[in-house]
Amino acid sequence: MKAFALFLLIVGLFLFLSIIGVFNFNFRLIVEIIFAIFFAVEGIRELTKRNFIGIGGIIFSVFLFTSIFQVFGYRFSLNQTFVALIASYLIGIGIHILLKKTITPNFWEKW
């Protein structure tokens, strides 16, 4: 419940800043913020379980935050965001495969 209260405070602050003209706030921005927070929490949760695929979620969350706040002065399109989602999880899966011990399945032991 406290996380939801914090979210409401952030949304209220962004709405206030959009009224003043400091920050442009629209529905796409709300959706990107929700997904950025979701992927960051999911990535951290996976990393605490020693599952390196969570790095993909953190990379995608950073990408969304750079798109939201236009860090590089560029707003990414929906297609670019979707490709970034796929690319970040491919990076996470690659890191996971490189850093984890390989487990070879023994399919034929029963026979």
Side-chain angles (χ1 to χ4, degrees):
M1 198 62 163
K2 290 189 183 217
F4 184 67
L6 182 65
F7 175 73
L8 290 178
L9 285 171
I10 291 171
V11 169
L13 179 69
F14 284 154
L15 281 173
F16 185 70
L17 290 175
S18 70
I19 292 170
I20 296 173
V22 175
F23 194 72
N24 187 11
F25 194 72
N26 53 22
F27 182 72
R28 178 182 173 175
L29 185 71
I30 294 171
V31 171
E32 283 184 350
I33 289 172
I34 290 171
F35 277 112
I37 292 170
F38 171 75
F39 281 108
V41 169
E42 182 265 337
I44 292 170
R45 191 175 296 158
E46 288 293 322
L47 281 177
T48 57
K49 295 177 186 176
R50 305 284 297 163
N51 192 358
F52 295 108
I53 296 175
I55 292 173
I58 293 174
I59 291 172
F60 186 63
S61 175
V62 168
F63 176 82
L64 283 178
F65 277 122
T66 58
S67 177
I68 291 168
F69 297 112
Q70 297 179 1
V71 174
F72 301 113
Y74 185 71
R75 186 94 169 139
F76 299 105
S77 69
L78 181 63
N79 295 336
Q80 291 171 328
T81 306
F82 183 69
V83 171
L85 171 70
I86 294 170
S88 63
Y89 273 96
L90 287 176
I91 291 169
I93 291 169
I95 291 173
H96 178 75
I97 291 171
L98 284 175
L99 297 179
K100 279 290 206 180
K101 288 183 177 178
T102 57
I103 301 171
T104 56
N106 297 324
F107 294 115
W108 305 109
E109 284 185 358
K110 297 180 198 176
W111 307 98

